[in-house]
Amino acid sequence: VQLVVSGGGSAQPGGSLTLSCAVSGFTFSDFEMSWVRQAPGKRLEWLAYISSSGNTKYYEESLQRRFTISRDSVGKTVYLQMSRLRAEDTALYYCLRGGVPGNYDVSTGYNFFDPWGQGTLVTVSS
Amino acid sequence: DIVLTQSPLSLTVAPGEPASISCRSSQSLLRSNGNNYLHWYVQKPGQSPQLLFSLASNRASGVPDRFSAGGSGTHFTLNINGVEAEDVGLYFCMQSLHIWTFGQGTKVEIK
């Protein structure tokens, strides 16, 4: 199982970046995917979730709809489009797979994450 | 949001000695199905986090027997029975009862 993340880098405040997470080694359509970030000196923060079909998406409320998660079943890739970037978005971003196949929600308890892709650094600065 | 509080935040342990990390939740993570939605991860230096235990006590594949985890409701613990040099890293808990939140992390170092 591999999750290969790309697309990190530098951006100016107000700018945009798109992160990609190319997966292999498992049946992509069976698993939920998420993005998490770790800002310097802060605890990990979950950002966005997408169901195995792509039909259900959740976002951390404080993102104020600046981030969009999507997935491409043909290319086996998950994306995180980030817009209106702020200095506080500077962080290491991780792509994660649901720990067990299927879709889970508040009625079942949510899935854990396993594995994590390698982090990609996003730096927002003028 | 569910807040997870870990203690201690830092731990320096001599090789072969035991170590214990606590994770307390601001609300119960126990569902009516009997599962506690609390998971443990370790982030070793230069690596991405990796799963140690899911649902409070289910050891992940490849995790050595010297690691154990337990607890229920609002208090959970991760134990290392005889720390080894390769155990150095940042250990953190995560809950998945209501979306996902993380503990602050506990840094484990070798004396």
Side-chain angles (χ1 to χ4, degrees), chain A residues 7-10 17 19 90-93 119-123:
Chain A
S10 297
L17 276 178
L19 306 182
T90 294
L92 199 57
Y93 285 71
T120 189
L121 183 62
V122 171
T123 303

Side-chain angles (χ1 to χ4, degrees), chain B residues 48-59:
Chain B
S48 297
Q50 56 194 79
L51 180 69
L52 290 173
F53 292 88
S54 60
L55 297 176
S57 60
N58 294 335
R59 182 182 287 106

